[in-house]
């Protein structure tokens, strides 16, 4: 029996027992979903890859805290969303820092160069960022708040949101994209306040 034939609870149990193939199976089972969740945040594929890698690292390090009575996918999505927002904030800080240095040297800023490594200190504040994210969702205009709650908290797919809210699929996609943009802006603004 291949590992992908196990249900996710068995995979979590095997992983916690030290079975490396179970970790690999969890990654293979959910990588595509996680990639779909975080791709809209970034311009560059390298950033998406970094966030996926970091998200799974965090998930695997904290697997013992996962409540196996619940589905694994929403838990992984929450980690990936937090990681993506942290990554965006780090990119923004690095761009602002680089722009300041280049301006001092009389050069124009080069936005194409992005350093995306995060520090251990940034990782430590993940929980704080998650709480802020939840608060920021509450601040969204009603137009975006409803779809973002369905998408980020209830973990519904675009099609499910479209049916539940009676909206066209493209409208749902647009509102989620704009909601993500607003949340990112709020997160970055919060770091400079």
């Amino acid at each position: 029996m291949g590992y992908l034939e196990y249900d996710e609870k068995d995979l979590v149990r095997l992983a916690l027992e030290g079975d490396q193939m179970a970790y690999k199976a969890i990654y293979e089972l959910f990588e595509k979903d996680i990639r779909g969740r975080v791709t809209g945040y970034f311009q560059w594929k390298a950033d998406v890859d970094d966030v996926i890698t970091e998200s799974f690292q965090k998930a695997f390090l904290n697997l013992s805290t996962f409540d196996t009575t619940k589905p694994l996918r929403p838990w992984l999505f929450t980690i990936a969303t937090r990681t993506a927002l942290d990554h965006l904030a780090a990119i923004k800080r690095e761009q602002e820092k680089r722009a300041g240095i280049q301006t001092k040297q009389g050069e124009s800023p080069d936005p194409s160069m992005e350093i995306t490594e995060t520090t251990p200190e940034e990782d430590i504040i993940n929980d704080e960022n998650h709480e802020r994210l939840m608060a920021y969702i509450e601040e969204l205009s009603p137009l975006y708040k409803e779809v973002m709650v369905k998408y980020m908290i209830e973990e519904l797919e675009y099609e499910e949101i479209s049916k539940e809210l009676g909206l066209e699929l493209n409208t749902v996609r647009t509102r989620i994209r704009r909601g993500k943009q607003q949340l990112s802006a709020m997160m970055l603004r919060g770091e400079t306040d």
Side-chain angles (χ1 to χ4, degrees):
M1 180 163 147
Y3 277 84
L4 293 178
E5 295 172 20
Y6 283 102
D7 72 20
E8 60 186 47
K9 288 181 177 61
D10 288 331
L11 289 174
V12 169
R13 179 182 50 77
L14 288 168
L16 289 172
E17 290 171 1
D19 187 329
Q20 295 303 307
M21 292 305 291
Y23 283 109
K24 184 176 183 213
I26 291 170
Y27 180 88
E28 289 174 359
L29 193 59
F30 293 102
E31 186 270 341
K32 187 176 178 184
D33 288 343
I34 299 299
R35 182 172 297 277
R37 171 50 64 101
V38 302
T39 294
Y41 286 98
F42 300 101
Q43 181 180 2
W44 306 109
K45 181 182 180 293
D47 290 315
V48 174
D49 293 341
D50 288 348
V51 167
I52 290 168
T53 300
E54 191 177 337
S55 296
F56 277 103
Q57 286 172 346
K58 288 177 182 176
F60 292 158
L61 282 171
N62 293 291
L63 199 57
S64 61
T65 67
F66 172 65
D67 179 355
T68 55
T69 64
K70 296 180 179 173
L72 187 57
R73 186 172 177 262
W75 185 71
L76 292 172
F77 272 15
T78 299
I79 292 171
T81 300
R82 281 192 238 166
T83 303
L85 291 169
D86 290 345
H87 199 76
L88 280 172
I91 289 170
K92 181 72 172 170
R93 281 194 304 275
E94 188 57 40
Q95 287 174 336
E96 288 170 353
K97 184 171 141 187
R98 191 177 311 107
I101 291 169
Q102 289 176 341
T103 302
K104 284 180 191 171
Q105 296 172 344
E107 300 174 13
S108 60
D110 182 0
S112 66
M113 294 178 61
E114 293 183 357
I115 298 172
T116 58
E117 291 181 16
T118 59
T119 66
E121 290 82 8
E122 289 165 349
D123 291 337
I124 289 170
I125 59 172
N126 274 342
D127 289 337
E128 212 173 279
N129 285 342
H130 178 66
E131 288 173 18
R132 279 191 295 180
L133 171 63
M134 303 315 275
Y136 292 151
I137 288 174
E138 288 299 314
E139 288 181 38
L140 289 172
S141 66
L143 187 67
Y144 302 121
K145 179 180 173 181
E146 192 173 26
V147 292
M148 293 306 286
V149 166
K150 299 278 181 201
Y151 182 67
M152 297 188 83
I153 298 173
E154 296 179 21
E155 306 291 345
L156 298 181
E157 298 293 335
Y158 289 5
E159 293 81 5
E160 295 170 310
I161 298 169
S162 173
K163 285 178 188 169
E164 273 200 25
L165 300 180
L167 296 171
E168 292 291 325
L169 189 56
N170 282 339
T171 302
V172 170
R173 285 192 179 112
T174 300
R175 289 185 185 177
I176 288 173
R177 187 179 71 247
R178 290 181 182 160
K180 283 180 182 178
Q181 290 167 347
Q182 284 188 14
L183 287 173
S184 298
M186 287 179 193
M187 184 69 81
L188 294 173
R189 183 193 70 217
E191 298 210 354
T192 57
D193 285 351

